[in-house]
Amino acid sequence: MNKLRFYSSRLATLMLLPVTSAVFSAPLELVKPHELIAESHISSAHVAALETVARRYATFWDTGDEALAREALADNFVDKTPPEGRKQGPEGALLASRAFRTAVPDLRCEVEQMIVAGDRVVSHLHFRGHFTGTFGKLKGKGQQVDFIATDIYQVRNNKIIANWHLEDNLTLMKQLGAL
């Protein structure tokens, strides 16, 4: 009887191992662009490398997973169009995400289209969520947030070294009740 319990216990343990390891090792699915456009003369390997780094950064905005931003952004990353007071480097993007997720905790980001050309990636982003937190002195009432942004990334050595971005802040501010 003791041998039967031992083998039953071992069998149960072995049966759980694949399930347990699969759960813990499952890679995070990166946000996919609805449309990918690439210069025809660029190799597919080059397109894939630039697309991957841009998808990591978009997935950071979609999930708030800061490890993805750290993977995507170079240590010497430069925000070419920062709002007043934003820190440079990866830390600026991390702080911006944290602050916005305080206002919109369920923030989601989709990539409507992605264009790869040379060492650049243009991402047309669509953000959605609900303003249930705080944004400066404003307190959310659950209103919907739905706005677009366009980012232009310069990529070197599989890292974003620079970003020029433009957000539809007029729409966003109206939705937040600031205007």
Side-chain angles (χ1 to χ4, degrees):
M1 193 69 166
N2 285 339
K3 281 186 181 181
L4 183 56
R5 274 193 211 133
F6 172 77
Y7 288 120
S8 294
S9 170
R10 296 290 280 167
L11 181 59
T13 300
L14 290 173
M15 288 173 55
L16 287 176
L17 282 177
V19 173
T20 305
S21 63
V23 169
F24 290 111
S25 65
L28 177 68
E29 183 71 27
L30 297 178
V31 170
K32 292 179 183 168
H34 295 294
E35 182 177 17
L36 176 65
I37 303 159
E39 281 185 308
S40 59
H41 70 276
I42 298 176
S43 74
S44 58
H46 184 71
V47 170
L50 270 62
E51 178 190 1
T52 298
V53 72
R55 287 177 60 195
R56 277 190 192 116
Y57 196 52
T59 305
F60 154 68
W61 285 105
D62 185 55
T63 65
D65 183 344
E66 294 185 3
L68 289 166
R70 293 183 196 286
E71 285 180 47
L73 301 175
D75 291 339
N76 61 344
F77 166 73
V78 176
D79 185 339
K80 297 289 191 169
T81 51
E84 189 176 325
R86 180 172 296 169
K87 289 178 75 169
Q88 281 294 347
E91 195 61 28
L94 298 176
L95 292 171
S97 173
R98 286 179 207 145
F100 200 65
R101 284 191 174 280
T102 298
V104 185
D106 67 342
L107 182 67
R108 299 308 308 245
C109 175
E110 290 181 61
V111 181
E112 298 292 341
Q113 59 182 317
M114 188 178 284
I115 303 167
V116 178
D119 67 346
R120 308 293 164 111
V121 177
V122 178
S123 287
H124 177 198
L125 307 171
H126 193 159
F127 291 91
R128 292 182 179 95
H130 296 88
F131 181 29
T132 57
T134 57
F135 187 78
K137 295 179 182 180
L138 300 173
K139 195 140 185 71
K141 298 175 183 140
Q143 63 267 45
Q144 186 173 345
V145 170
D146 186 332
F147 68 100
I148 59 170
T150 300
D151 284 4
I152 304 171
Y153 311 129
Q154 183 179 16
V155 179
R156 188 172 300 136
N157 299 322
N158 295 319
K159 297 277 190 172
I160 298 171
I161 62 169
N163 182 14
W164 294 260
H165 52 91
L166 180 64
E167 296 84 16
D168 182 3
N169 285 323
L170 179 59
T171 296
L172 174 62
M173 291 299 124
K174 284 180 179 178
Q175 293 170 352
L176 296 177
L179 301 176

